[in-house]
Amino acid sequence: QVQLVESGGGLVQPGGSLRLSCEASRSRFSIDIMGWYRQAPGKQREMVAHLTSNGITTYADSVQGRFTISGDVTKNTVDLQMSSLKPEDTAVYYCAALLRVRIYWGQGTQVTVSS
């Protein structure tokens, strides 16, 4: 069992920046991938960015060039630096971790982009 704790959400104006952080509890097994997903009201949850244990990153087209995922999956931590935020980035952001064949989720943190 892995528990994920996110922090760093909040309200920001369009064009602003926010940083999200996530830490996973220690587990008997190593985490393979950590990442961030988001879900806006009335929409399905979507992938934002992934970071593998060997440092490979993947981004959704909608955030490429604006968001940066970083951290150390081998140490169970991942961050998401969000810049040039747009109102359409408003959503609940979830940290996720893939361990063996199971995905674990954090409780989510609200990000609101509004003037």
Side-chain angles (χ1 to χ4, degrees):
Q1 194 78 338
V2 174
Q3 294 180 334
L4 304 172
V5 178
E6 303 116 331
S7 62
L11 172 65
V12 64
Q13 292 186 343
S17 299
L18 274 178
R19 188 177 185 88
L20 306 181
S21 296
C22 175
E23 183 171 0
S25 60
R26 289 192 174 188
S27 170
R28 177 181 177 185
F29 302 102
S30 297
I31 294 174
D32 301 304
I33 301 172
M34 293 186 73
W36 292 92
Y37 287 71
R38 67 186 182 186
Q39 187 167 18
K43 294 187 177 182
Q44 290 188 333
R45 191 173 297 188
E46 62 177 1
M47 188 276 286
V48 176
H50 282 161
L51 176 66
T52 69
S53 57
N54 56 3
I56 296 174
T57 58
T58 305
Y59 295 94
D61 290 343
S62 59
V63 307
Q64 181 76 47
R66 300 188 297 122
F67 292 10
T68 302
I69 190 168
S70 63
D72 189 340
V73 175
T74 65
K75 296 182 179 179
N76 292 8
T77 62
V78 66
D79 297 329
L80 185 69
Q81 178 67 45
M82 305 183 291
S83 302
S84 301
L85 282 161
K86 305 175 182 179
E88 51 263 44
D89 294 317
T90 295
V92 177
Y93 283 70
Y94 297 90
C95 180
L98 174 65
L99 192 154
R100 304 192 88 181
V101 296
R102 180 174 174 178
I103 298 176
Y104 295 85
W105 297 95
Q107 79 283 0
T109 184
Q110 177 70 45
V111 172
T112 302
V113 184
S114 175
S115 55

